[in-house]
Amino acid sequence: MKRLSPLIIRTVAFLSVLIASGHAAMAQGDAMLTHYWMVPTYYNPAAAGDTDNIRLRGGARMQWVGIDGAPRTFVAAADTPFKLLGKKFGTGIVVQQESMGLFRNLTVNAQIGYKFKVLKGELTGALQVGFFNEQFKGSEVYIPDDDDFHESTDDAIPSTDVAGNALDLGLGLFYIHRRFKAGLSLLHANNPTVTFTSENGTGSGSTGGTTGETAKKYQFTAKRTLYFTAEGNIPIKNTLFEVIPSLLVRSDFTFTDVAVTGRVRYNKLFSAGLGYRYDDAISIMLGAELKGIFIGYSYDYHISDISRASSGSHEIFAGYNLKLDFSEKNRNKHKSIRIM
């Protein structure tokens, strides 16, 4: 049986006690990605189709390297604009898989947005609909005999693998101007709550025909979260360089996280930048783009107490853009497009 570090054991036990006592534990939610600017639809469904490209993105975040059971996040996103009845829309799909200790979650979301002109820019309003899946690997729980907090067979912790699904909704607004873009979104707007049972109780009742066992209810909630994103584009006169500042603010109405990033891009080919997440990490990032293919890497040096146990966090992302032509002269032309 796989053994967990004491820190992870106590974290799992603490969450389990809360939910077994009738409280909803906060499930893992959206990751605070260093490459947040590369996957805008991950944080705002209204960013779908914000370029005239079919845009594919994917990547992984390895957080707190050196700590057993630390979060691992995988994200994939695709989006594109399209026209219907003379109106412009954006659509996309976002998939996230995340693990932390014995917890796993999977989210799959579809996005649709309507675009219209506002002042000298374009405003999009969008809806996101998907599902949220939460799992707990109760079969892998190990509590040593000398643990001061729980017995080795604590029925407040599921002893079997449990999982469940919930409907997940989101809303967003996104505005694009020639020199900047900004968006506001509300994800997990319905506070999706996964409820499942584990028949490892020791009460006097019976469940499912098993005498002497009482099913215990567990709940995991993805908390309603508000996001604000912004990005600028500042060309450096008479050079091939441009400065790209960006901002991400996240709030679950209890805690607020802020990330700021400054990147310099040369000739739309190579980029480098620095980032800062408030009270958490300083980041460096490198990227390259050629013929619509992009790859980027970032390293986070943590300035919080977690740095005593971790060597940092890493991200790698890759993507592909396929240019679309919405001009009137090509309205009746048809092409066969193969995406490798």
Side-chain angles (χ1 to χ4, degrees):
M1 182 178 292
K2 182 179 179 181
R3 298 193 176 191
L4 303 178
S5 69
L7 174 61
I8 298 301
I9 292 170
R10 290 171 184 172
T11 299
V12 171
F14 175 71
L15 291 174
S16 300
V17 166
L18 285 180
I19 56 181
S21 301
H23 296 82
M26 297 316 302
Q28 298 149 255
D30 314 306
M32 197 74 170
L33 300 172
T34 302
H35 283 88
Y36 64 88
W37 43 269
M38 189 179 177
V39 281
T41 59
Y42 179 68
Y43 296 104
N44 192 332
D50 69 339
T51 66
D52 288 337
N53 300 320
I54 296 175
R55 179 171 56 186
L56 308 175
R57 294 287 187 267
R61 176 173 177 81
M62 287 69 72
Q63 189 167 332
W64 301 337
V65 173
I67 298 178
D68 293 339
R72 297 290 184 267
T73 306
F74 301 90
V75 175
D79 69 284
T80 183
F82 68 94
K83 283 190 173 181
L84 180 65
L85 302 176
K87 305 296 184 179
K88 191 174 180 182
F89 298 83
T91 186
I93 185 169
V94 176
V95 179
Q96 173 196 266
Q97 193 280 324
E98 188 174 34
S99 63
M100 182 179 71
L102 300 184
F103 291 92
R104 305 285 187 276
N105 73 32
L106 173 68
T107 57
V108 179
N109 295 299
Q111 305 163 330
I112 185 70
Y114 174 66
K115 303 178 180 294
F116 50 96
K117 297 293 184 180
V118 173
L119 300 177
K120 295 183 179 181
E122 181 180 78
L123 180 66
T124 302
L127 171 68
Q128 177 170 283
V129 180
F131 78 90
F132 177 85
N133 171 269
E134 183 76 18
Q135 304 175 36
F136 177 74
K137 302 288 287 184
S139 63
E140 297 184 16
V141 170
Y142 171 78
I143 302 178
D145 293 335
D146 59 353
D147 185 87
D148 296 330
F149 295 90
H150 298 86
E151 300 293 334
S152 59
T153 57
D154 193 334
D155 71 353
I157 303 174
S159 61
T160 59
D161 296 348
V162 290
N165 301 306
L167 176 70
D168 193 6
L169 302 176
L171 303 166
L173 292 172
F174 201 76
Y175 182 73
I176 303 174
H177 189 269
R178 186 171 64 93
R179 288 299 179 201
F180 73 91
K181 56 181 68 174
L184 185 68
S185 63
L186 181 66
L187 301 189
H188 316 301
N190 59 324
N191 264 4
T193 300
V194 174
T195 303
F196 43 74
T197 60
S198 175
E199 296 182 2
N200 65 323
T202 57
S204 59
S206 65
T207 301
T210 305
T211 303
E213 294 187 354
T214 301
K216 300 188 80 67
K217 287 187 177 294
Y218 297 86
Q219 288 187 332
F220 294 84
T221 299
K223 199 169 184 180
R224 188 178 294 118
T225 308
L226 188 69
Y227 289 94
F228 174 76
T229 59
E231 181 179 301
N233 188 300
I234 308 171
I236 300 178
K237 193 173 182 180
N238 299 323
T239 74
L240 296 176
F241 290 94
E242 57 188 325
V243 177
I244 307 174
S246 55
L247 169 71
L248 170 65
V249 180
R250 174 178 69 178
S251 176
D252 64 4
F253 304 96
T254 301
F255 299 101
T256 299
D257 299 305
V258 179
V260 293
T261 304
R263 293 182 293 131
V264 176
R265 184 165 63 176
Y266 173 74
N267 199 26
K268 300 188 183 299
L269 292 175
F270 305 104
S271 61
L274 295 174
Y276 172 72
R277 282 196 304 278
Y278 175 72
D279 205 26
D280 179 27
I282 297 172
S283 308
I284 58 172
M285 57 202 75
L286 299 171
E289 184 172 357
L290 180 63
K291 295 183 178 179
I293 299 174
F294 176 90
I295 186 168
Y297 166 79
S298 68
Y299 168 75
D300 296 351
Y301 174 77
H302 295 282
I303 57 177
S304 60
D305 290 342
I306 201 73
S307 63
R308 299 176 184 177
S310 170
S311 61
S313 300
H314 303 266
E315 279 184 19
I316 184 167
F317 270 79
Y320 178 65
N321 290 339
L322 178 64
K323 184 71 176 179
L324 299 176
D325 191 346
F326 286 105
S327 62
E328 289 294 322
K329 66 179 181 179
N330 289 320
R331 186 174 60 179
N332 299 314
K333 291 185 179 182
H334 302 276
K335 293 181 180 181
S336 176
I337 302 174
R338 177 176 294 174
I339 302 175
M340 300 302 292

